[in-house]
């Protein structure tokens, strides 16, 4: 199979719908609050009653500009709205207000990381503003389909990529990067499981070296990034098998079945909707001037790729560490703050990606709610660097205590728990002398060349000091005395 697969090149373009976190809907003042009783966030505008008029929610435009700027898109000045017409029970107006020929953003890129660590830029075709439909529920009642219109009219941004993605793994990375941006910008929670971010994958295959793309299939209903990858893998194999068997790819819309990782036909091209787009007569175009864009620019948070660059170039961290640190904005910002309190960046990175992340996982705490300040973590790092506390005591005892006792400094905690390492030379000499005196025969063995007995003396010094001897200093002194 793999020899046959090797003859083909997959071509993928993704459409991502991001549900915006605006307080009210895209074209009405109805609340967007999730989880309310069905059909409670619905005014006459959402219900599409005759004589009602939509109005543009400025926060939706702000969000679109933010995402556009983050991706390096060109922001359109004159934004027209269009009607996309189709009939469905969860679409009371009979059309969605969207943008057709004048999307708010064009151009721009998403940078993905390939499996070999290299970067690749995927061009964005367009980002446009639109509204969601309501929800039809087919599994709540044994006889009827129920409709909840709370979601009808909630604002969406649709991000459409160029067909430049070449594998399921690249698609995985692309969706991950888009979600990361949405979350950094705090415009969408990116939760695919709950449907607040959705991804449709357009997939085709062609012989390697071909210039004309094959017929594409659009796959919907993947509720996680992992499932986007699974659906694409399945679809590539299915299309190749179909072509190899002498068949043709029909341009269908398919649905992903997560239970067995396959896709099945939802509707064929013949059944495709003709949306009869036309300009929305009830909304004047929105004009975006330089001032508006500048205002949004001023509110932009640091972006993941900027922080990644800073962490690798200024702080000398590895690509991998910087990647882990920038996965989520609160973690990246915590680390960033920590680096203004300590210059030991590698240790800072290890604490954040190690002990702190484990603590968050263990106690199901969000980074935002982590109780210990970056300043305190920096103080703990300093204690270790000064040799006052061993790394293992810091990690196993001082750090957990710091998470409970927020009013004491790491030094106070280490003192209270009797964990300050002894680096006092006089005291150290005494322990070393006692240790050596306890095993005169082993001292002779060492001097005769059996260097392995060093560990015995180190263990003895640690025992005598009750673990408080600074291991580095103790080691130096034991060697010195043995070699005298
Ligand atoms: P539609 O509105 O019918 O979904 P679009 O022109 O908006 O069509 O394209 C949707 C997506 O399909 C885009 O992401 C585009 O990159 C992708 N695409 C177009 N042609 C192909 C193809 N032959 N193979 C894979 N993806 C494709
Ligand atoms: Mg499409």
């Amino acid at each position: 199979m793999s020899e046959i697969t090797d003859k083909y090149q997959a071509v993928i373009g993704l459409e991502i719908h991001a549900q915006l976190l605006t307080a009210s809907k895209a074209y009405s003042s109805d609340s967007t609050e999730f989880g309310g009783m069905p059909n409670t966030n619905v005014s006459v505008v959402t219900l599409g009653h005759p004589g009602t008029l939509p109005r543009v929610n400025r926060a939706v435009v702000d969000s679109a500009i933010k995402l556009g700027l983050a991706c390096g898109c060109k922001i359109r000045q004159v934004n027209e709205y269009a009607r996309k017409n189709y009939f469905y029970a969860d679409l009371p107006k009979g059309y969605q207000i969207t943008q057709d020929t004048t999307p708010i953003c064009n151009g721009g890129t998403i940078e993905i990381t390939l499996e070999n660590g290299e970067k690749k830029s995927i061009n964005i075709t367009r980002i446009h503003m639109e509204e969601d439909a309501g929800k039809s529920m087919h599994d709540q009642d044994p006889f009827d389909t129920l409709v909840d219109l709370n979601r009808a009219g909630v604002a969406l941004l649709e991000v459409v990529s160029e067909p430049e993605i070449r594998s399921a793994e690249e698609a995985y990375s692309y969706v991950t990067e888009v979600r990361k941006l949405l979350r950094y910008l705090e415009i969408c929670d990116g939760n695919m499981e709950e449907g607040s971010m959705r991804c449709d994958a357009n997939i085709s295959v062609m012989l390697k070296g071909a210039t004309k793309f094959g017929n594409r299939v659009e796959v919907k209903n993947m509720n996680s990034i992992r499932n986007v990858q699974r659906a694409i893998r399945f679809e590539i194999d299915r299309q190749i098998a179909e072509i190899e068997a002498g068949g043709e790819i029909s341009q269908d819309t398919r649905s992903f079945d997560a239970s067995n990782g396959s896709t099945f036909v939802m509707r064929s091209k013949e059944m495709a909707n003709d949306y009869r787009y036309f300009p929305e007569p009830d909304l004047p175009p929105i004009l975006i001037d330089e001032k508006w864009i500048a205002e949004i620019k001023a509110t932009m948070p640091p972006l993941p790729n900027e922080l990644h660059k800073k962490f690798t170039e200024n702080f000398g961290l590895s690509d991998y560490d910087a990647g882990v640190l920038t996965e989520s904005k609160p973690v990246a910002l915590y680390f960033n703050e920590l680096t203004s309190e300590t210059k030991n960046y590698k240790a800072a990175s290890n604490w954040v990606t190690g002990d702190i992340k484990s603590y968050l996982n263990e106690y199901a705490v969000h980074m935002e709610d982590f109780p210990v300040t970056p300043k305190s973590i920096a103080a703990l790092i300093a204690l270790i660097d000064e040799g006052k506390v061993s790394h293992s005591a810091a990690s196993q005892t001082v750090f957990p205590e710091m998470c409970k006792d927020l009013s004491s400094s790491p030094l106070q905690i280490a003192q209270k728990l009797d964990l300050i390492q002894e680096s006092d030379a006089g005291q150290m000499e005494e322990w070393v002398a006692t240790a050596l005196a306890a095993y005169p025969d082993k001292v002779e063995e060492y001097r005769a060349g059996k260097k392995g007995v060093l560990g015995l003396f180190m263990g003895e010094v640690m025992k005598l000091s009750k673990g408080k001897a600074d291991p580095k200093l103790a080691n130096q002194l034991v060697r010195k005395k043995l070699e005298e």
Side-chain angles (χ1 to χ4, degrees):
M1 184 69 194
S2 100
E3 242 171 67
I4 296 171
T5 311
D6 276 350
K7 292 196 309 193
Y8 289 89
Q9 175 62 62
V11 173
I12 300 149
L14 299 178
E15 296 163 83
I16 292 180
H17 283 93
Q19 202 178 75
L20 296 181
L21 290 166
T22 53
S24 55
K25 294 184 180 177
Y27 310 109
S28 76
S29 58
D30 292 357
S31 164
T32 57
E33 194 151 333
F34 188 77
M37 286 294 286
N39 299 307
T40 49
N41 298 336
V42 286
S43 66
V44 287
V45 180
T46 292
L47 294 175
H49 284 197
T52 57
L53 286 174
R55 279 186 62 186
V56 168
N57 179 350
R58 192 184 162 97
V60 174
V61 185
D62 288 347
S63 302
I65 297 175
K66 264 185 205 161
L67 185 59
L69 288 176
C71 301
C73 300
K74 191 170 168 348
I75 313 289
R76 184 180 303 277
Q77 282 182 326
V78 183
N79 281 267
E80 282 150 6
Y81 291 90
R83 284 189 185 179
K84 177 180 178 179
N85 301 280
Y86 63 94
F87 175 80
Y88 206 74
D90 58 22
L91 189 73
K93 293 202 296 281
Y95 58 87
Q96 276 172 299
I97 303 179
T98 179
Q99 293 190 290
D100 181 23
T101 55
T102 62
I104 183 163
C105 306
N106 282 109
T109 54
I110 294 289
E111 191 173 78
I112 63 170
T113 308
L114 305 180
E115 277 169 307
N116 61 11
E118 275 173 32
K119 307 278 182 200
K120 171 177 172 182
S121 280
I122 305 294
N123 285 296
I124 292 171
T125 313
R126 56 187 276 153
I127 301 175
H128 64 258
M129 303 176 283
E130 59 182 27
E131 61 178 330
D132 216 339
K135 227 183 216 160
S136 299
M137 289 168 290
H138 309 289
D139 54 1
Q140 304 284 310
D141 183 279
F143 305 108
D144 297 311
T145 287
L146 304 183
V147 176
D148 177 8
L149 294 176
N150 282 351
R151 200 181 68 179
V154 170
L156 300 175
L157 291 183
E158 179 172 347
V159 184
V160 182
S161 86
E162 287 291 304
E164 295 176 348
I165 298 164
R166 289 291 173 266
S167 68
E169 291 66 37
E170 287 187 23
Y172 183 91
S173 177
Y174 175 89
V175 182
T176 304
E177 290 304 320
V178 171
R179 183 174 68 176
K180 205 191 288 176
L181 271 186
L182 293 168
R183 287 179 171 170
Y184 265 74
L185 297 168
E186 294 176 29
I187 57 176
C188 166
D189 65 24
N191 195 334
M192 288 190 75
E193 287 74 15
E194 286 171 10
S196 49
M197 185 176 114
R198 307 190 278 272
C199 176
D200 301 339
N202 297 270
I203 305 148
S204 66
V205 298
M206 61 183 180
L207 283 172
K208 275 192 181 147
T211 47
K212 192 170 173 293
F213 291 164
N215 285 348
R216 80 176 139 115
V217 160
E218 180 167 345
V219 185
K220 294 178 175 293
N221 297 327
M222 294 82 86
N223 68 349
S224 68
I225 303 184
R226 191 58 67 196
N227 280 344
V228 171
Q229 187 183 24
R230 286 173 75 204
I232 292 173
R233 275 198 192 141
F234 175 88
E235 195 52 33
I236 292 171
D237 288 345
R238 187 191 69 81
Q239 291 185 18
I240 291 174
E242 182 86 42
I243 293 170
E244 283 290 316
E248 256 186 47
I249 303 303
S250 95
Q251 297 211 9
D252 299 334
T253 300
R254 301 175 74 97
S255 183
F256 179 65
D257 180 352
S259 68
N260 60 14
S262 70
T263 68
F264 60 91
V265 180
M266 273 170 80
R267 51 179 181 265
S268 64
K269 200 185 173 198
E270 290 72 48
M271 286 159 68
N273 285 308
D274 173 4
Y275 294 121
R276 294 174 294 124
Y277 282 97
F278 63 82
E280 165 60 61
D282 289 341
L283 283 177
I286 288 285
L287 306 181
I288 302 173
D289 55 12
E290 286 303 319
K291 186 166 157 275
W292 192 345
I293 295 175
E295 273 168 26
I296 298 295
K297 253 190 197 143
T299 68
M300 292 285 278
L303 296 174
N305 52 359
E306 294 164 9
L307 290 171
H308 190 282
K309 195 161 178 245
K310 179 174 173 189
F311 295 172
T312 50
E313 290 181 6
N314 300 9
F315 300 156
L317 297 182
S318 68
D319 231 23
Y320 176 82
D321 286 343
V324 175
L325 288 165
T326 52
E327 249 165 46
S328 102
K329 180 175 161 186
V331 172
L333 293 186
Y334 189 94
F335 174 75
N336 199 37
E337 202 179 323
L338 181 52
T339 57
S340 59
E341 307 283 351
T342 177
K343 293 278 158 286
N344 192 344
Y345 305 125
K346 181 63 189 158
S349 162
N350 289 343
W351 277 97
V352 173
T353 59
D355 294 76
I356 295 179
K357 273 214 159 168
S358 308
Y359 174 90
L360 300 179
N361 285 339
E362 188 174 343
Y363 295 98
V365 174
H366 290 296
M367 186 78 237
E368 297 94 309
D369 303 322
F370 179 59
V372 182
T373 61
K375 218 184 172 92
S376 291
I377 298 294
L380 182 60
I381 293 171
L383 283 185
I384 301 166
D385 290 349
E386 290 158 10
K388 292 210 175 98
V389 176
S390 73
H391 186 274
S392 63
S395 171
Q396 285 159 23
T397 317
V398 183
F399 174 75
E401 188 60 23
M402 283 165 72
C403 297
K404 286 184 236 155
D405 176 359
L406 299 175
S407 55
S408 308
S409 70
L411 178 63
Q412 287 166 332
I413 289 173
Q415 280 165 339
K416 184 180 78 187
L417 301 175
D418 204 12
L419 291 167
I420 297 294
Q421 291 185 138
E422 201 51 71
S423 48
D424 167 22
Q427 175 69 72
M428 189 76 84
E429 292 225 8
E430 220 178 290
W431 287 326
V432 173
T434 315
L436 265 59
Y439 299 97
D441 48 333
K442 298 287 169 191
V443 175
E444 286 317 311
E445 277 180 31
Y446 182 92
R447 289 178 178 154
K450 216 175 147 198
K451 306 287 180 202
V453 296
L454 184 76
L456 170 89
F457 294 113
M458 280 299 295
E460 197 58 23
V461 170
M462 284 309 188
K463 218 187 294 167
L464 288 167
S465 69
K466 300 197 176 67
K468 286 194 288 180
D470 177 343
K472 226 160 84 198
L473 281 180
N475 190 295
Q476 280 168 5
L477 197 61
V478 170
R479 277 174 195 276
K480 190 167 153 248
K481 291 288 170 195
L482 283 170
E483 273 149 32
E484 258 172 12

